Amino acid sequence: MIAPDVQTAFARLRDMIGEANSVVPFTGAGISTESGIPDFRSPGGIWTKMRPIDFGDFLTSREARDESWRRRFAMQDQFGGAKPGRGHRALAALYRAGKVPAVITQNIDNLHQDSGIDPGHVVELHGNTTYALCLDCAKRYDLPWVRERFETAGGRSPDCPDCGGFIKTATVSFGQAMPEAAMRRAQELTDGCDLFLAIGSSLVVWPAAGFPLAAKRNGAKLAIINREATEFDEFADLVVHHDIGDVLAPFVAH
Ligand code: NAD
Ligand code: ZN
């Protein structure tokens, strides 16, 4: 069913959530556009402006490492102060109410944690860009630490002082292995839910995009909230082509 307007969408969602025991949200970049972070595939999105640096290039090219840190700090200046939007806050309210055990996200912006969801209950399929890790010894580094060294060295990315490994944001780049524990946890949540909410994802990045279909196959209901149509709309029990913040806003207060 395609919800014709925001009110109908909210009413249908409220009923579906009311009837469900375990609601698992699966979020993409679209939930964070209200916070001022552009998504990848909308017109004007990051994708249309910059080719991503894949993991192989990061490992083999000093220039690619420097460039990826240069981009990261430019992003920090633009989006570093982003705050959770109505979509994040609505999911946090459902989490506090005990309806949502955890959120699966493709986002790397830390906004679900910032909205009050325990970090242990945010399953990040593509990692997190708000801190960095040494690729060899896994030591964690804060971004201001990396930035200071990057700037002091005239725009050269620092290596790990402990082991000499490359330091990279804790994100999963194209060509980099998916995090096993997060994939396993996402699968368990998907298998255990009776309502799966795909929110703000174009559902084209695999293997992440497999989860909505797996939920449906497993007998859960599927609702898709996304401004644009997705290839999975035909499988969904509810399809909402409206603004995420507008649709989820009434949940914020509850
Ligand atoms: P995507 O850009 O492919 O799709 C986002 C979808 O959200 C689009 O279909 C768009 O129409 C929709 N959308 C945008 N704003 C909306 C709104 N306010 N209301 C309703 N719909 C809205 O994003 P994706 O599917 O998450 O895949 C992109 C990949 O890029 C992800 O894997 C993620 O790791 C990464 N990414 C993350 C961020 C972030 O952390 N905020 C931002 C950009 C990209
Ligand atoms: Zn190291």
Side-chain angles (χ1 to χ4, degrees), residues 26-72:
F26 168 92
T27 62
I31 198 170
S32 294
T33 54
E34 182 173 289
S35 304
I37 303 174
D39 62 12
F40 262 3
R41 289 175 183 78
S42 291
I46 297 169
W47 201 253
T48 57
K49 296 191 190 134
M50 283 189 236
R51 213 176 64 83
I53 295 167
D54 72 33
F55 192 53
D57 289 343
F58 188 94
L59 291 181
T60 53
S61 155
R62 136 101 23 220
E63 253 170 54
R65 290 194 292 282
D66 295 347
E67 168 66 8
S68 75
W69 277 111
R70 202 185 55 69
R71 287 184 187 179
R72 178 63 190 86

Side-chain angles (χ1 to χ4, degrees), residues 66-79 142-151 157-158 169:
D66 295 347
E67 168 66 8
S68 75
W69 277 111
R70 202 185 55 69
R71 287 184 187 179
R72 178 63 190 86
F73 296 133
M75 207 169 107
Q76 184 69 13
D77 296 339
Q78 276 181 287
F79 317 124
D142 293 335
L143 294 196
W145 182 94
V146 180
R147 188 168 195 163
E148 201 201 310
R149 272 145 197 86
F150 179 84
E151 284 171 359
S157 56
T169 55

